[in-house]
Amino acid sequence: MTMAEHGSGPVEGASAPAGRLRVFLVDDHAMFRAGVRSELGGHVEVVGEASTVAEAVSRIAATGPDVVLLDVHMPDGGGRAVLEAMRRTHPQVRFLALSVSDAAEDVIGLIRAGARGYVTKTISPDELTDAIRRVADGDAVFSPRLAGFVLDAFAARPDAPVADPELDQLTNREREVLRLLARGYAYKEIAKELFISIKTVETHVSNVLRKLQMSNRYELSRWAADRRLV
């Protein structure tokens, strides 16, 4: 990809022309962002960019892009930190990792955190444009060798649990309550199923809401469904 200079940055919050995808760039190298912006400018609308995790979280929330191109390694936490901060509050935004790293642990870590794809910075502009469109449509996109890492990781240990820091906060009993709640059980039915009191069910639900920073059972149900806990 040509690292072309670009005279001026995008106007954040600007609306894209009809039919053009809105893309946000996260990378701590200004020259690289300028090159990507220059190469993609005729195909998508670049609505913003950021060089740090804090900037990315704030500006993605403000601009609401369709796809975020996300670097993996940055000084203050990198792509995974951005994903973990955004996935609950902005589930409609798709993330495509664009990195110089082709290490298996980086690829698998970003996919587990919620990225829809992972491509390296050797990708051509046309291929990157196609990858962005595919991710926006809900497809999973990988550079060919990187797809093999993901397949190998799960084929080697098909029953291995996927790391999930949020889920790991919950006790076994809280997970049982959450699973039944997501299936539509009333508190009374959960109490009967688990042989505990309704008051205890209420306490478990309150603890789960607090730990996951959610406000009602509908958010919990959607969260559980997304993780196939139901």
Side-chain angles (χ1 to χ4, degrees), residues 17-105:
R20 297 180 74 194
L21 291 172
R22 306 174 75 250
V23 176
F24 192 98
L25 309 178
V26 180
D27 194 290
D28 60 329
H29 292 95
M31 287 288 289
F32 182 77
R33 295 198 310 272
V36 173
R37 191 170 62 239
S38 176
E39 297 287 3
L40 294 181
H43 307 285
V44 302
E45 182 76 6
V46 178
V47 296
E49 59 183 66
S51 60
T52 68
V53 171
E55 278 184 338
V57 170
S58 173
R59 294 178 182 177
I60 291 169
T63 56
D66 299 304
V67 176
V68 175
L69 289 181
L70 190 64
D71 194 13
V72 177
H73 296 294
M74 296 189 293
D76 58 344
R80 184 160 188 165
V82 176
L83 271 165
E84 290 174 348
M86 300 300 301
R87 64 184 178 185
R88 186 168 58 246
T89 57
H90 293 75
Q92 76 282 3
V93 178
R94 313 274 189 181
F95 290 84
L96 172 62
L98 175 62
S99 176
V100 69
S101 171
D102 61 359
E105 59 269 25

Side-chain angles (χ1 to χ4, degrees), residues 83-211:
L83 271 165
E84 290 174 348
M86 300 300 301
R87 64 184 178 185
R88 186 168 58 246
T89 57
H90 293 75
Q92 76 282 3
V93 178
R94 313 274 189 181
F95 290 84
L96 172 62
L98 175 62
S99 176
V100 69
S101 171
D102 61 359
E105 59 269 25
D106 287 335
V107 178
I108 295 165
L110 264 289
I111 297 306
R112 283 176 168 167
R116 293 294 303 175
Y118 193 118
V119 294
T120 61
K121 289 181 177 180
T122 58
I123 193 170
S124 73
D126 287 344
E127 289 171 334
L128 182 56
T129 300
D130 181 63
I132 290 169
R133 295 192 184 283
R134 289 172 59 193
V135 165
D137 288 339
D139 292 342
V141 179
F142 301 94
S143 294
R145 193 167 80 91
L146 307 187
F149 290 156
V150 178
L151 292 173
D152 290 346
F154 290 100
R157 297 183 63 199
D159 298 323
V162 175
D164 190 327
E166 290 181 315
L167 185 60
D168 289 345
Q169 298 178 78
L170 307 183
T171 66
N172 288 336
R173 180 62 89 186
E174 287 168 351
R175 295 186 195 193
E176 290 175 343
V177 170
L178 173 60
R179 188 175 293 108
L180 293 174
L181 193 71
R183 290 176 180 172
Y185 282 55
Y187 285 7
K188 182 177 180 181
E189 294 170 323
I190 295 174
K192 183 177 179 181
E193 182 77 14
L194 299 179
F195 301 100
I196 56 179
S197 69
I198 295 176
K199 182 66 175 176
T200 300
V201 173
E202 292 173 348
T203 298
H204 286 313
V205 172
S206 178
N207 288 340
V208 172
L209 287 168
R210 174 178 53 79
K211 290 179 179 180

